Amino acid sequence: KTEIHKEEWNRRLHEVQVTKRDLNRLIMDYLVIEGYKSAAEEFSQEAGLPPPVDFESIESRMNIREAIQRGDVEDAIMRMNDLNPEILDTNPALYFRLQQQKLIEYIRHNRVAEALQFAQEELAPRGEESPEFLSELERTMALLVFDSASAPAGISELLSPAQRVKTAGEVNAAILESSSQGKEAKLVGLLKLLSWGEAMLSERAEFPRVCDPNSWSVLGINEPLGRSAIAACA
């Protein structure tokens, strides 16, 4: 393989011209998508960038995500309808996910009678409409059969914090899409492309990898961008 030394590699990197405005737009996109409202407002003023969205909509979106992550699905649904009722009206799969999460919360708090009634009245009819919905309903109802210690991994994971985060992520993406924004920050997409490019290049050459925490200083990647870099380069 061809070997590219660090000095040569850094020289080539710095030869690539990227305008400050393009970098600022990438940062603004990241702050908006990830929901850093205060930072986005300050950065908009400092960089002289017009707001890409109404900053209040960022706060509304984050309130919805936080409601799901603390298990208050009813509050999240109410806030979504206040923000844009068409999101759930036109996305039955997302609405089912929210109702499934609500059922999980009933079971989490041992509200068995309410869980059974809710499943029968709200989720069973939707399960008849789709094999996927029915399968997810059956998986969720299996939580009533097992205790948390003996439940198979594919069932017990429904009670994990990661399940709330997953549902909140799907809702967040749907809200972004409804406002004609990307589901994922452009910076994260670029990091994924970078990781793919490095994998292709590594078949022909030895070089200092940028998708390496020790090399991120070359790009100026720090927290919170570093968390996205970890996920994209994994």
Side-chain angles (χ1 to χ4, degrees):
K1 293 182 179 180
T2 302
E3 183 176 0
I4 306 174
H5 296 288
K6 183 177 180 179
E7 294 76 13
E8 174 65 12
W9 182 253
N10 287 343
R11 184 184 66 78
R12 294 186 187 184
L13 283 179
H14 288 295
E15 284 179 352
V16 178
Q17 297 300 312
V18 181
T19 67
K20 185 175 182 180
R21 182 171 179 81
D22 285 340
L23 290 175
N24 287 343
R25 290 173 65 184
L26 274 177
I27 294 171
M28 176 61 77
D29 175 77
Y30 177 87
L31 295 174
V32 168
I33 296 295
E34 293 299 316
Y36 297 102
K37 179 194 171 190
S38 297
E41 288 177 323
E42 292 179 13
F43 189 74
S44 175
Q45 294 177 357
E46 293 175 3
L49 283 176
V53 296
D54 177 6
F55 286 130
E56 292 306 316
S57 69
I58 299 177
E59 185 171 5
S60 298
R61 180 161 49 86
M62 291 303 99
N63 287 337
I64 292 168
R65 189 163 74 177
E66 289 166 6
I68 297 171
Q69 290 178 343
R70 68 172 181 267
D72 194 345
V73 179
E74 195 63 40
D75 181 51
I77 292 175
M78 181 182 69
R79 289 176 180 275
M80 287 186 72
N81 286 329
D82 288 341
L83 181 65
N84 183 352
E86 291 186 1
I87 297 174
L88 294 179
D89 289 344
T90 59
N91 196 332
L94 181 66
Y95 186 67
F96 177 84
R97 290 294 184 195
L98 283 167
Q99 297 292 70
Q100 179 189 18
Q101 189 63 48
K102 188 174 181 178
L103 176 60
I104 292 169
E105 300 304 334
Y106 278 135
I107 297 172
R108 185 194 309 278
H109 296 289
N110 203 30
R111 296 163 64 179
V112 176
E114 291 170 279
L116 291 172
Q117 182 178 356
F118 182 74
Q120 182 177 6
E121 294 178 357
E122 299 294 336
L123 290 174
R126 297 183 182 278
E128 295 175 356
E129 300 171 2
S130 165
E132 179 187 355
F133 293 169
L134 181 60
S135 175
E136 283 299 302
L137 175 58
E138 291 173 346
R139 187 164 75 105
T140 307
M141 294 303 292
L143 289 170
L144 295 171
V145 178
F146 300 96
D147 58 43
S148 58
S150 62
I155 295 173
S156 63
E157 66 185 14
L158 292 174
L159 292 173
S160 71
Q163 176 65 25
R164 287 178 173 176
V165 172
K166 178 183 176 183
T167 303
E170 293 176 358
V171 168
N172 188 55
I175 295 173
L176 288 168
E177 189 173 27
S178 73
S179 57
S180 301
Q181 297 181 61
K183 295 181 181 180
E184 180 181 74
K186 293 181 175 64
L187 181 58
V188 175
L190 286 173
L191 286 168
K192 289 179 178 179
L193 182 61
L194 171 62
S195 180
W196 174 83
E198 286 193 340
M200 296 296 100
L201 181 59
S202 66
E203 297 177 2
R204 298 186 177 187
E206 296 290 345
F207 60 97
R209 290 178 177 268
V210 177
C211 265
D212 179 339
N214 296 323
S215 303
W216 291 344
S217 58
V218 175
L219 297 182
I221 295 176
N222 296 299
E223 291 290 348
L225 304 186
R227 291 195 295 271
S228 296
I230 292 171
C233 293

